[in-house]
Amino acid sequence: MHRILLKNRNFAPEFKFIAMEFTGKIIAILSPRGGVSKTSGNEWKSQEYVIENHDQYPRKMCFDVFGADKIEQFNIQMGEELTVSFDIDARQWQDRWFNSIRAWKVERVSAGTAMEPGVPVPPPAPSATPDFTTGDAKDDLPF
C-alpha cells in the first residue's frame, strides 16, 4: 500500500462571486416591450436602456429591466448617473446565440459620492500649458 501525503492542498471547489457593475450616464431609453408568456399565460414587460461610462474611451452597454414592478421601482430617467448591477445570460434561437444583460440593482450616483476603493483615480488636468522653447539646447529624446 502506497501512502501519498498531500500537504497544504485544498481540493474544495472555489466559488468566486464577481460583481458585475457598470457606472455611467443613461443616454437612451428604448421602447418598452411586452407580451404574454406561452407557458404560463402571464403578461410580461421589459424595458431596455443604454448607459455610457466616462472613461477616456467611453463604452456603452445596453441592458434590460424585466418586470413592470422592477421598471417602476428603478424609475430610470434620461441623463441620470447610475451604477447598474447586472447578470449576463445567453439563449439560443434558430441556431444563433444571443446575450442578455439584465439589471437586478440600480443605484443613483451622487456628485459627492466617493469612488470605490481600488478604482484608479485619473490625474487632474494640468491648469496651465507647459512652456516649450524652440531650439532647446538639450534634446535628450532617443528619436
Side-chain angles (χ1 to χ4, degrees):
M1 174 181 235
H2 296 286
R3 184 178 219 174
I4 300 173
L5 179 61
L6 299 174
K7 198 174 191 179
N8 297 327
R9 301 284 190 247
N10 183 2
F11 291 100
E14 290 185 33
F15 293 101
K16 292 183 180 180
F17 176 74
I18 299 173
M20 290 184 277
E21 294 181 338
F22 194 97
T23 299
K25 180 179 180 180
I26 297 296
I27 61 168
I29 299 175
L30 305 177
S31 300
R33 294 179 298 140
V36 178
S37 171
K38 293 178 184 178
T39 55
S40 68
N42 296 332
E43 286 189 40
W44 60 270
K45 188 174 179 182
S46 178
Q47 178 76 51
E48 290 183 317
Y49 305 88
V50 179
I51 189 170
E52 181 178 45
N53 68 8
H54 303 292
D55 289 350
Q56 181 180 1
Y57 302 104
R59 297 202 181 265
K60 297 173 185 76
M61 179 180 77
C62 181
F63 67 95
D64 74 331
V65 176
F66 188 81
D69 57 336
K70 288 285 188 190
I71 295 169
E72 186 177 322
Q73 175 190 349
F74 294 158
N75 191 26
I76 298 171
Q77 302 297 317
M78 186 70 132
E80 278 189 305
E81 291 287 331
L82 304 174
T83 296
V84 178
S85 299
F86 58 92
D87 290 323
I88 299 175
D89 195 16
R91 64 193 177 288
Q92 185 178 15
W93 185 70
Q94 295 184 352
D95 295 330
R96 293 197 61 202
W97 285 90
F98 298 89
N99 291 319
S100 66
I101 300 173
R102 182 153 300 156
W104 55 270
K105 182 170 79 170
V106 172
E107 297 173 314
R108 265 66 185 174
V109 176
S110 63
T113 305
M115 294 182 76
E116 279 187 34
V119 176
V121 177
S127 57
T129 57
D131 293 328
F132 293 106
T133 58
T134 57
D136 207 0
K138 184 181 177 191
D139 187 7
D140 59 352
L141 292 176
F143 50 88

